[in-house]
Amino acid sequence: MTLPPPPATAFPAARTAIVTGAASPRGIGRATAARLAAEGWSVAVLDLDEAACRDVATRLTDEHSVTCLGIGVDIRDRAAVDAAVRRAETELPQLVGLVNNAGVSSPVPFLDVTDAEWHRVIDVNLHGTFHVTHAAARLMAEHRLGRIVNVSSTSAERGGGVYGRAAYSASKAALLGLSRTLARELGPLGITANSVAPGSIDTDIMGGRLTDERKAVLLKDLPVGRIGTVDDVAAVIAFLLGEDAGYLTGVTYDVNGGSHIA
């Protein structure tokens, strides 16, 4: 789709962000949705569990006096994603932000990875991100304004991590490349695209494996002296979606407490 360069576009007071993977109680997506709602954004909460999405959206609406919408969707399903984005467009204010947070981990070493495991991870983390971004970016291009943030991982930068190995690291590294490509291609349409790369964050994706003993081991490599929280990541994402971040695009913010210093 070829469009002319954008005119200067005002950042709307009434604006919407889509956040995928936002229903998990202790996840980055939910913390980000809450942070954005507190800052005046309407939020489309997307996740697999329809009831959980609606519950989160209702809570955000009640607590922050913004209109939020919960939509159950499998981001691997292109038709379902297109329908979800259309609902957000119809029922909420102008779509400005997109947070591609939904993802699955994989602790399987490379030589043990099966085709099924590889495709399971790539289908969600990469193909799902493509589906949502492709649908949302078209709307942003029409308004000549958009902010896209892809949630990658320190694993993508250092070649694996504590919990994510080959398939996970590969999928998250692909998101870094996608963000940079989007920055170049969509920049002339008023859209920025950036990444955050969280390190050791205490979330549900760790599956309860962050024991006190494991925390002690991790802390030895963390200059800041503590494990990260979902709010640490949400704060950076919210900044990248905001009006003040309009001159930032194609960059990766490492939110890792100094565990990986490039």
Side-chain angles (χ1 to χ4, degrees):
M1 179 168 55
T2 302
L3 295 173
T9 302
F11 209 82
R15 59 199 183 276
T16 294
I18 293 174
V19 183
T20 67
S24 179
R26 296 177 59 250
I28 291 171
R30 185 158 177 174
T32 300
R35 175 87 181 212
L36 294 173
E39 295 183 2
W41 291 77
S42 289
V43 182
V45 177
L46 271 60
D47 214 319
L48 285 170
D49 188 329
E50 175 88 26
C53 289
R54 290 179 178 176
D55 179 66
V56 172
T58 298
R59 289 173 182 268
L60 295 179
T61 298
D62 293 342
E63 292 173 4
H64 302 291
S65 300
V66 292
T67 303
C68 295
L69 178 66
I71 307 174
V73 62
D74 184 342
I75 62 172
R76 297 173 298 178
D77 184 337
R78 178 57 184 264
V81 166
D82 287 345
V85 173
R86 283 196 299 270
R87 279 196 63 192
E89 176 191 21
T90 301
E91 300 180 35
L92 297 175
Q94 178 183 330
L95 177 62
V96 173
L98 169 61
V99 182
N100 286 308
N101 168 74
V104 293
S105 187
S106 176
V108 183
F110 180 72
L111 293 180
D112 296 327
V113 175
T114 63
D115 286 359
E117 175 67 2
W118 182 267
H119 287 292
R120 179 186 74 87
V121 176
I122 297 298
D123 281 348
V124 176
N125 295 359
L126 184 55
H127 295 162
T129 294
F130 165 72
H131 295 154
V132 181
T133 305
H134 208 241
R138 290 178 179 274
L139 298 179
M140 295 174 178
E142 291 177 6
H143 293 289
R144 303 298 197 275
L145 176 65
R147 301 277 194 270
I148 298 170
V149 177
N150 290 327
V151 179
S152 181
S153 171
T154 300
S155 293
E157 300 174 307
R158 64 184 298 272
V162 178
Y163 301 106
R165 296 203 184 183
Y168 179 77
S169 298
S171 68
K172 290 298 187 177
L175 294 185
L176 298 180
L178 176 62
S179 295
R180 292 167 185 143
T181 301
L182 294 175
R184 290 187 183 277
E185 292 193 18
L186 302 184
L189 303 177
I191 302 169
T192 65
N194 297 292
S195 301
V196 294
S200 296
I201 307 295
D202 193 1
T203 68
D204 289 332
I205 200 170
M206 289 187 173
R209 291 171 288 183
L210 196 56
T211 62
D212 289 340
E213 292 78 12
R214 190 57 190 156
K215 285 183 180 180
V217 173
L218 292 174
L219 286 174
K220 293 179 180 179
D221 294 324
L222 288 171
V224 300
R226 67 174 176 85
I227 301 297
T229 70
V230 291
D231 292 325
D232 290 324
V233 186
V236 178
I237 294 173
F239 167 69
L240 290 172
L241 291 184
E243 185 172 10
D244 291 338
Y247 201 60
L248 292 171
T249 195
V251 300
T252 300
Y253 275 68
D254 292 326
V255 190
N256 58 38
S259 65
H260 174 74
I261 300 175

